[in-house]
Amino acid sequence: MISLPCKATNSINDLTVLNTIRRRGPISRIDIARLTNLTPPTVINIANKLLDAGLILEYMIGESSGGRRPLLLKTNPGFAEVIVVLIRSKNIEVYRTDADGEVIKKRTHSIEKLTADDIINWMTASLKACVEEAEAPVAAISIVVRGPVNSVAGISVYAPSIGWRNVPLKSIVEEKFRIPVFVENDVKAMTRGEYYYHFIKETDNVVLVKVGHGIGAGIIIAGELYRGLTNGAGEIGHTIIDVTGPVCSCGNYGCLEALASEAALISSVVRAIKEGQKSMISEMVQGELENVTADDIYQAAAEQDDLAIFMLRQVARYLGIGIANIFNTFNPEIVVIGGGLAQAQEFIEETIRSTVEERAMGNSYRAAEIRFTTSKEGTIKGAVDMALTEVL
């Protein structure tokens, strides 16, 4: 565990300042005082301690707001490394990152047709290599998985794309490496990264909807990630929007995920082609329709394929209904749409907005925004932030 050079009575303030610098830097001492409600002398004293400990750097001269130009502070990226593991639907990725969440090295491996033991064996071999290569103390290992997790116990409760249940990832990895391990759901990690490090960090109430193979949401209320009683908050993909709709992977009928995910999009396109509708997508996969991917559909839409565009707009309408429900339930300032489907923004945005305007209560949506993000680094940034927040 990383320790700060400070007295216990001051540790909360020290960590508040350090986390503010990590998430908001480069930042001036006066802005830190404003954001944390600490006095400027307190911030100056804490910053000096953090500088002496090598945890932060005096980075650059900022812009003047009327007086002397401020000296901006940022995290010293070399004070620690964090290893991030992303277990996706079809592959596993292992990253060495610095304390800023910048990637130093990446390893990736296909997990299609692999057993849970095979996946864990490859992961631990890669972790061993990362630990041996590290040029700074490895502060923690963050493991990000799809589906529900017990983040306190570090258990992957159910990873639908892999099929495993109740896998105690934290205990498995900590036993081998004696390094703190944290396990998080992919959408919550992405939401954390987007909230603290990208364009929504000035907002108090945000819902991020990730639309990929499945659909999930991360919910920020009053600046904090909302987890719910059993860490299950955000399963927006399994809210039912059409009781006569198709069966979902969860066993219910008409879930948002069964109608508006990338998996649903692919299924709709393939079914339409088999029923005789024309599309360049069939030629793109040489008639092997089982090989159609969401990226094929996005590419076809970009080339003005009528079927691809029609199906994207159909998915967008269902997604708009789901987002209208989010506005009516949480009344957030912003709903952010991320994940693979965000690549098709030009084909889905108008339909989503018009559907939300039609179905959301006026006072729930009138002053709010819908934004899109195609950022690839939000999940990694969020995983690093989670780890450092805990170990510090």
Side-chain angles (χ1 to χ4, degrees):
M1 182 170 291
I2 298 174
S3 298
L4 298 184
C6 53
K7 297 178 181 178
T9 52
N10 293 331
S11 62
I12 293 176
N13 287 345
D14 290 340
L15 291 170
T16 297
V17 170
L18 179 56
N19 284 331
T20 302
I21 294 169
R22 283 199 306 109
R23 293 167 174 168
R24 304 279 187 149
I27 186 171
S28 69
R29 291 167 174 83
I30 195 66
D31 283 338
I32 295 170
R34 176 179 57 82
L35 289 168
T36 61
N37 292 319
L38 297 172
T39 65
T42 297
V43 170
I44 290 169
N45 288 335
I46 293 172
N48 288 339
K49 284 192 288 185
L50 298 177
L51 285 164
D52 290 342
L55 298 177
I56 65 171
L57 301 171
E58 291 183 329
Y59 180 60
M60 62 183 290
I61 303 295
E63 295 296 323
S64 171
S65 57
R68 178 189 298 178
R69 295 174 66 189
L71 191 57
L72 304 185
L73 305 173
K74 72 180 290 290
T75 305
N76 174 6
F79 86 77
E81 290 190 16
V82 175
I83 304 173
V84 176
V85 180
L86 303 186
I87 303 177
R88 302 186 182 276
S89 297
K90 296 183 178 181
N91 57 56
I92 180 171
E93 300 165 2
V94 178
Y95 298 85
R96 273 178 60 212
T97 78
D98 64 22
D100 270 342
E102 297 298 324
V103 174
I104 300 169
K105 188 168 184 177
K106 173 184 176 182
R107 290 175 168 84
T108 187
H109 188 68
S110 172
I111 60 174
E112 292 189 274
K113 301 180 180 178
L114 294 186
T115 66
D117 286 344
D118 290 335
I119 295 169
I120 290 170
N121 287 340
W122 186 87
M123 177 181 71
T124 53
S126 296
L127 290 172
K128 182 175 184 292
C130 288
V131 171
E132 291 173 350
E133 294 167 358
E135 298 172 358
V138 177
I141 296 169
S142 274
I143 304 176
V144 178
V145 295
R146 295 186 170 180
V149 303
N150 180 333
S151 58
V152 175
I155 296 171
S156 173
V157 176
Y158 174 50
S161 55
I162 303 172
W164 68 20
R165 292 179 182 272
N166 297 316
V167 178
L169 293 169
K170 178 181 175 70
S171 61
I172 289 170
V173 177
E174 282 189 345
E175 192 173 298
K176 288 181 180 293
F177 296 99
R178 305 298 177 186
I179 294 171
V181 174
F182 304 95
V183 180
E184 183 61 284
N185 163 267
D186 64 325
V187 184
K188 288 183 173 66
M190 181 181 179
T191 300
R192 192 171 188 136
E194 291 292 332
Y195 183 73
Y196 287 126
Y197 297 97
H198 293 125
F199 58 82
I200 56 176
K201 63 184 178 182
E202 301 295 339
T203 308
D204 286 334
N205 302 287
V206 180
V207 177
L208 184 145
V209 181
K210 183 182 179 184
V211 187
H213 185 79
I215 298 178
I219 304 163
I220 300 285
I221 297 177
E224 297 292 334
L225 183 67
Y226 177 70
R227 293 184 176 276
L229 178 63
T230 59
N231 209 45
E235 292 293 340
I236 186 71
H238 299 292
T239 56
I240 297 171
I241 61 173
D242 181 358
V243 293
T244 63
V247 65
C248 181
S249 61
C250 70
N252 284 321
Y253 288 84
C255 291
L256 180 63
E257 184 170 298
L259 293 161
S261 64
E262 287 186 320
L265 173 66
I266 293 167
S267 178
S268 297
V269 167
V270 169
R271 183 170 59 251
I273 293 173
K274 286 181 176 179
E275 291 172 352
Q277 296 195 46
K278 301 298 182 182
S279 170
M280 68 171 61
I281 294 169
S282 183
E283 297 174 8
M284 290 168 67
V285 296
Q286 300 178 327
E288 302 290 336
L289 295 181
E290 67 274 12
N291 294 332
V292 172
T293 67
D295 286 340
D296 294 329
I297 299 170
Y298 304 148
Q299 181 182 336
E303 296 181 30
Q304 300 305 306
D305 182 84
D306 289 339
L307 179 63
I309 293 171
F310 176 82
M311 290 302 181
L312 280 167
R313 288 176 177 161
Q314 177 175 282
V315 161
R317 178 153 182 80
Y318 287 123
L319 187 57
I321 294 171
I323 291 172
N325 291 340
I326 289 173
F327 278 114
N328 289 342
T329 304
F330 295 102
N331 191 206
E333 297 164 66
I334 302 174
V335 167
V336 181
I337 301 170
L341 192 70
Q343 299 174 61
Q345 179 179 351
E346 65 177 296
F347 303 105
I348 64 176
E349 182 173 10
E350 182 179 346
T351 301
I352 289 173
R353 291 186 184 278
S354 63
T355 303
V356 172
E357 288 172 3
E358 174 187 324
R359 292 178 176 270
M361 299 294 289
N363 67 326
S364 298
Y365 174 62
R366 189 178 300 114
E369 296 181 57
I370 297 173
R371 299 185 188 176
F372 290 77
T373 178
T374 56
S375 167
K376 301 293 186 183
E377 62 178 13
T379 304
I380 296 172
K381 289 275 193 182
V384 172
D385 181 81
M386 173 184 66
L388 291 180
T389 299
E390 293 295 329
V391 299
L392 288 171

